Amino acid sequence: YIYIYRIMPKSPRWLLSKGRIDECTEILVKIAKINGKEIEREILLKELKSVKSDEVHDFNLQIIIKT
């Protein structure tokens, strides 16, 4: 459990729903790196900023992470 907390201390979806976009972006970049993928931080940040708070529950983070 402690190991998982170090990798992902907070849910990216929760952070996004609270408007904490920078933190969400950093966690998603770390997750991608652990999974052997690269995500352009600036592109991800731009995509996440375009999501409105009422769309978060329908927003699928896997779409962004897929490359």
Side-chain angles (χ1 to χ4, degrees), residues 12-21 24 48 51 56 59 61:
R13 185 177 290 205
W14 181 84
L15 289 170
L16 186 61
S17 72
K18 299 299 179 188
R20 296 167 66 178
I21 297 169
C24 179
L48 292 177
V51 177
V56 172
F59 189 69
L61 294 174

Side-chain angles (χ1 to χ4, degrees), residues 17-31:
S17 72
K18 299 299 179 188
R20 296 167 66 178
I21 297 169
D22 291 326
E23 290 176 77
C24 179
T25 302
E26 292 305 318
I27 290 175
L28 290 174
V29 168
K30 286 180 185 179
I31 291 170

Side-chain angles (χ1 to χ4, degrees), residues 1-2 7 11-12 17 22 45-46 55 61-62 64 67:
Y1 175 76
I2 294 171
I7 294 172
S11 163
S17 72
D22 291 326
L45 188 59
K46 182 179 175 182
E55 296 174 331
L61 294 174
Q62 290 176 348
I64 290 178
T67 56

